[in-house]
Amino acid sequence: MPSDLTRASPPRRRSEKSRTAIVTATRELLLERGFDGLTIEAVAARAGVGKQTIYRWWPSRPALVADVMLEDADKILASVDHTDDVSADLVRWVGRLVASLTTARGMAMLRILTVAGMEHEDTAVKLRAGFSAPLHESVRARLIADGVDAAAAESAADAIVGGVVYPILSEPHQYSRRRAERTTRIIVGALGPRPRP
């Protein structure tokens, strides 16, 4: 009679080669077909793995997409510089963000993150934690460091990040870095002067 030790099989480890093939295939197919056109079958075929291999590591299509997109997020997420000019710091940061998000890859990533997050709540939570929240927190923290009170900093960060993301989702080819920078200056200017230490 087998013991509990012989009956229990060890957890299967991810093959790094298979994982890389799946991530690469997913990224390529997302750029070619978008989120709606991506299927687990197509990813498996392109990666040269079985569907079961994908489902063993990712419970759903949105979960797979979220992980792949978040691997690219570090190219977009950057903290805001802290100089003596908060407006200039945020304008530079917004300029870099717009430059990243208005490339073909950046626009595709933003659309895919939005759609994937709407389809599956667990995925939405993961995407907020790995992408949306860090963007917002970078702006909020920079404003607080300049003496803006927490509530105003929260709202201003909403406006600055939303003021970039919404137009790119709505009209990506008409949105310019100059417009994003102007929006940021208006928002920071509306906060008024802060006391200096």
Side-chain angles (χ1 to χ4, degrees):
M1 182 170 170
S3 70
D4 286 344
L5 290 175
T6 58
R7 221 180 297 128
S9 58
R12 298 185 83 172
R13 291 188 185 175
R14 287 189 189 194
S15 153
E16 188 55 31
K17 183 178 174 186
S18 293
R19 191 200 76 81
T20 300
I22 292 165
V23 167
T24 300
T26 303
R27 187 177 286 121
E28 290 171 356
L29 288 165
L30 283 169
L31 291 173
E32 290 169 19
R33 303 178 183 186
F35 180 76
D36 291 335
L38 180 113
T39 64
I40 294 297
E41 291 80 5
V43 172
R46 184 166 295 190
V49 301
K51 286 194 306 182
Q52 298 79 8
T53 300
I54 297 172
Y55 282 122
R56 187 180 310 127
W57 300 330
W58 291 279
S60 66
R61 180 178 70 124
L64 169 61
V65 168
D67 277 357
V68 170
M69 291 292 98
L70 289 176
E71 282 195 12
D72 288 343
D74 64 343
K75 298 176 183 74
I76 294 172
L77 299 172
S79 59
V80 181
D81 295 332
H82 283 242
T83 71
D84 59 357
D85 187 339
V86 67
S87 183
D89 292 346
L90 288 167
V91 165
R92 270 193 307 277
W93 180 84
V94 160
R96 291 191 305 262
L97 181 63
V98 170
S100 295
L101 291 179
T102 54
T103 63
R105 187 174 185 148
M107 286 185 287
M109 178 182 174
L110 192 55
R111 284 192 307 272
I112 290 162
L113 287 169
T114 302
V115 175
M118 291 168 62
E119 187 171 301
H120 197 269
E121 181 55 32
D122 290 345
T123 301
V125 169
K126 187 177 219 177
L127 293 173
R128 280 193 296 271
F131 185 73
S132 307
L135 281 179
H136 187 273
E137 180 55 25
S138 291
V139 176
R140 191 186 76 81
R142 179 62 191 92
L143 290 167
I144 288 173
D146 199 61
V148 176
D149 74 80
E154 184 85 11
S155 294
D158 290 344
I160 290 170
V161 174
V164 170
V165 172
Y166 171 75
I168 292 173
L169 286 171
S170 303
E171 48 183 6
H173 300 294
Q174 297 172 25
Y175 190 61
S176 69
R177 181 176 180 158
R178 181 175 290 164
R179 180 172 154 194
E181 292 171 347
R182 183 172 58 243
T183 301
T184 302
R185 283 190 193 94
I186 290 168
I187 294 164
V188 174
L191 294 169
R194 265 85 59 206
R196 293 287 168 206

